[in-house]
Amino acid sequence: MKYCVLVLLTAVILSCGDVNKPAKEKNETTNAKVDANYNPEAVLDSLGIVLRDQGIPVANYVHVARTGNLLFLAGKGPKQANGENIIGKLGDSLTIDQGYQAAREVGINQLSVLKAELGNLNKVKRIVSVHGMVNASPDFKDHSKVINGYSDLMVAVFGEKGKHARAAVGMGSLPGNMAVEVEMVVEVYE
C-alpha cells in the first residue's frame, strides 16, 4: 500500500511539472509564443484609432476581472471621443449602419480597457467570446449586422486571434438609451 501511495504521489508531482519554476521563467516561456510580427497597436495606428481613458466605473463594478489567463471585460457602451454615447433604438431611430458604427465605438472602448489592463495589446492571445446587446424595437431582426461592427474591428486589429464565439441579441432597452452594449472574454499570454 505504501508503495502505491509513493508511486501515485510521484506521478502527481511529475505531472505538475513547472509548479516550482519562478514566475519570471514561466512568463518567458509563455511569452515566447508571441509572434514578433504580431503588433495590434501598430494596426490601431494604421487605422487612425486612438484609445482613450475609460475613467472610473460609475457603479459598483470593475472594467475588467481577471482569473488566470482570462480577462472578463464588463459591458461597455458606445461612448465617443467627445464623451457622448450613441443613443437610440435600432429599427426605430437608428439605421443598421449607425448601429454598426456604435458597436465599433464600443470595440474602441473595450480595446482601451485592454490596453490599460495589459500595458501592451500584443499580450492578447485571442478574443474568446463576445456578447453583444442591441437596443432594438420588437420587430428588428438584424442584431448580428449591428454587432459585426465590433467583431470586424477585433479581427482587423488582432487578425485570426480576433475571431471569437459570439452572441448578438436584442434588448428592449439599455442604460441611458445607449444603442449597443458589449461584454468580452479575452485570453492573454501572461
Side-chain angles (χ1 to χ4, degrees), residues 86-131:
I86 297 172
I87 60 171
K89 194 172 282 289
L90 275 292
D92 183 22
S93 59
L94 295 175
T95 66
I96 292 171
D97 186 55
Q98 289 170 317
Y100 181 98
Q101 293 305 319
R104 186 177 190 278
E105 203 67 44
V106 177
I108 294 169
N109 294 332
Q110 292 288 39
L111 291 173
S112 299
V113 168
L114 277 176
K115 168 76 174 176
E117 177 71 14
L118 298 172
N120 192 318
L121 293 176
N122 72 355
K123 293 180 181 177
V124 171
K125 188 171 184 180
R126 81 165 298 156
I127 305 300
V128 176
S129 178
V130 167
H131 180 215

Side-chain angles (χ1 to χ4, degrees), residues 15 26 31 34 38 51 60 71 96 101 128 153 160 175 183:
S15 70
K26 286 182 195 176
N31 285 335
V34 179
Y38 178 57
L51 301 181
N60 193 14
L71 301 178
I96 292 171
Q101 293 305 319
V128 176
L153 179 62
E160 287 296 312
E183 298 175 335

Side-chain angles (χ1 to χ4, degrees), residues 75 131-135 146-147 167-171 174 179-183:
H131 180 215
M133 297 161 274
V134 179
N135 186 0
V146 171
I147 300 302
V169 298
M171 301 290 173
L174 287 172
V180 180
E181 182 174 358
V182 182
E183 298 175 335

